[in-house]
């Protein structure tokens, strides 16, 4: 048995969190959650992670704690989560859906939705679509291939 550190916010969970808060009429909490999410993902597309620390931390280096027994004596215990550096392109859709859920539940639009964050285009008609330039060149360079 292995122990993994799940004390982080996975972007896949962001939409479900906003949906739950909005459905339960916790609008202040939903707004705070949305604002946290947008601060956490701010930056270039190649900086977008699949998870962040609870304070928005990006540096989630994984290391083992060999002297500490985990649940039911399992070893090794890990602190941090190396999955944070994985490239998972669905995170753009997760962010878009979180923004959609926020608006669907009555949260007001914010300036970010018409600005730049996480490499998203700034024009309203494509505001939640990864920039075409990054899709063409950035993904290949992240994978060590050259753009054709």
């Amino acid at each position: 048995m292995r122990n993994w550190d799940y004390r982080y916010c996975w972007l896949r969970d962001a939409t479900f969190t906003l949906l739950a808060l909005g459905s339960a009429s916790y609008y202040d909490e939903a707004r705070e959650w949305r604002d946290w999410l947008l601060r956490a993902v701010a930056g270039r597309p190649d900086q977008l992670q699949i998870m962040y620390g609870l304070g928005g931390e990006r540096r989630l280096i994984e290391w083992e704690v060999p002297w500490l027994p985990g649940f039911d004596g399992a070893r090794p215990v890990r602190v941090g989560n190396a999955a944070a550096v994985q490239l998972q392109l669905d995170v753009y859709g997760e962010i878009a859906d979180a923004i959609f859920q926020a608006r669907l539940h009555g949260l007001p639009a914010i300036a970010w939705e018409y600005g730049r964050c996480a490499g998203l285009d700034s024009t309203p008609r494509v505001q939640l679509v990864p920039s075409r330039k990054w899709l063409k060149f950035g993904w290949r360079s992240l994978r060590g291939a050259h753009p054709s």
Side-chain angles (χ1 to χ4, degrees):
M1 182 184 311
R2 297 173 128 184
N3 291 282
W4 302 98
D5 192 348
Y6 286 100
R7 298 174 298 160
Y8 303 105
C9 173
W10 293 67
L11 292 186
R12 286 188 179 131
D13 300 332
T15 296
F16 298 121
T17 302
L18 278 168
L19 181 60
L21 291 170
S23 295
S25 300
Y26 287 104
Y27 300 115
D28 291 339
E29 291 83 354
R31 186 181 59 254
E32 291 295 324
W33 172 246
R34 178 205 53 194
D35 294 348
W36 175 91
L37 175 66
L38 298 179
R39 284 191 307 273
V41 302
R44 297 186 327 254
D46 62 337
Q47 296 173 328
L48 190 64
Q49 297 180 187
I50 63 169
M51 73 176 80
Y52 294 88
L54 297 180
E57 301 91 351
R58 294 172 176 254
R59 192 167 186 239
L60 308 176
I61 296 171
E62 184 177 302
W63 56 283
E64 292 183 3
V65 188
W67 63 89
L68 184 66
F71 175 75
D72 204 22
R75 293 181 191 268
V77 170
R78 291 179 172 80
V79 175
N81 199 315
V85 298
Q86 291 178 357
L87 177 64
Q88 294 182 10
L89 296 178
D90 66 319
V91 294
Y92 293 101
E94 305 300 341
I95 295 168
D97 197 24
I99 297 299
F100 171 77
Q101 293 299 331
R103 296 293 300 279
L104 183 67
H105 285 91
L107 293 182
I110 56 174
W112 174 87
E113 293 181 57
Y114 299 99
R116 286 191 167 273
C117 185
L120 303 177
D121 286 342
S122 60
T123 56
R125 67 183 170 80
V126 289
Q127 64 191 359
L128 296 175
V129 177
S131 88
R132 292 173 300 281
K133 181 178 179 182
W134 183 81
L135 284 175
K136 184 175 181 182
F137 299 105
W139 189 31
R140 288 186 182 136
S141 66
L142 282 173
R143 291 294 183 211
H146 297 293
S148 52

